[in-house]
Amino acid sequence: MADLRQQAKQWCLEVAGQRIHGTRGVLPLVVFQAEEQAKLLPYDSEPYDVPDWHKAIVHRDHHIYYRYAIYSAPDTTCPPGTELEVRGDRELVRLYKRGELVKVPPP
């Protein structure tokens, strides 16, 4: 893994960072060093938690199924048959209806 990281760093510095950007006409490495690098926050050593998205249909009992668990959906805004987007991460499950958050069940 250390070798892969070193190879990736070298490629970014010597290849990708030295190409003229097609839209802006500048070197990406120069833009990174001049504009972006100072805005980066220090790494907190917490691994990035990639969220998991799924679609779910509200059942007659106003519940949806996600990752082998059952979650209730708001009966006033999500009648049976409603399609919800479910976002799950390490800590929470969130229910969305057409992009709008409708419920965050307790953990």
Side-chain angles (χ1 to χ4, degrees):
M1 192 60 130
D3 180 51
L4 288 174
R5 287 189 179 116
Q6 179 57 37
Q7 289 181 48
K9 181 178 179 179
Q10 182 178 357
W11 181 82
C12 289
L13 293 173
E14 298 175 10
V15 179
Q18 300 301 320
R19 296 179 188 159
I20 300 290
H21 190 274
T23 306
R24 296 185 64 190
V26 295
L27 297 176
L29 184 59
V30 171
V31 173
F32 172 75
Q33 291 170 337
E35 300 173 17
E36 299 171 357
Q37 191 170 24
K39 296 176 184 175
L40 290 175
L41 298 174
Y43 178 55
D44 62 3
S45 73
E46 182 72 27
Y48 180 70
D49 187 9
V50 179
D52 179 42
W53 288 89
H54 285 278
K55 294 202 181 281
I57 302 294
V58 178
H59 294 262
R60 289 182 297 174
D61 61 359
H62 295 281
H63 287 81
I64 59 106
Y65 298 94
Y66 171 71
R67 285 190 182 170
Y68 307 105
I70 300 171
Y71 298 93
S72 64
D75 59 348
T76 55
T77 57
C78 302
T82 302
E83 185 177 272
L84 298 178
E85 300 90 37
V86 184
R87 180 193 187 275
D89 57 36
R90 193 176 309 137
E91 297 182 15
L92 286 176
V93 171
R94 295 173 178 94
L95 307 180
Y96 294 86
K97 180 180 175 185
R98 287 183 246 133
E100 182 179 331
L101 182 65
V102 293
K103 184 166 186 182
V104 179

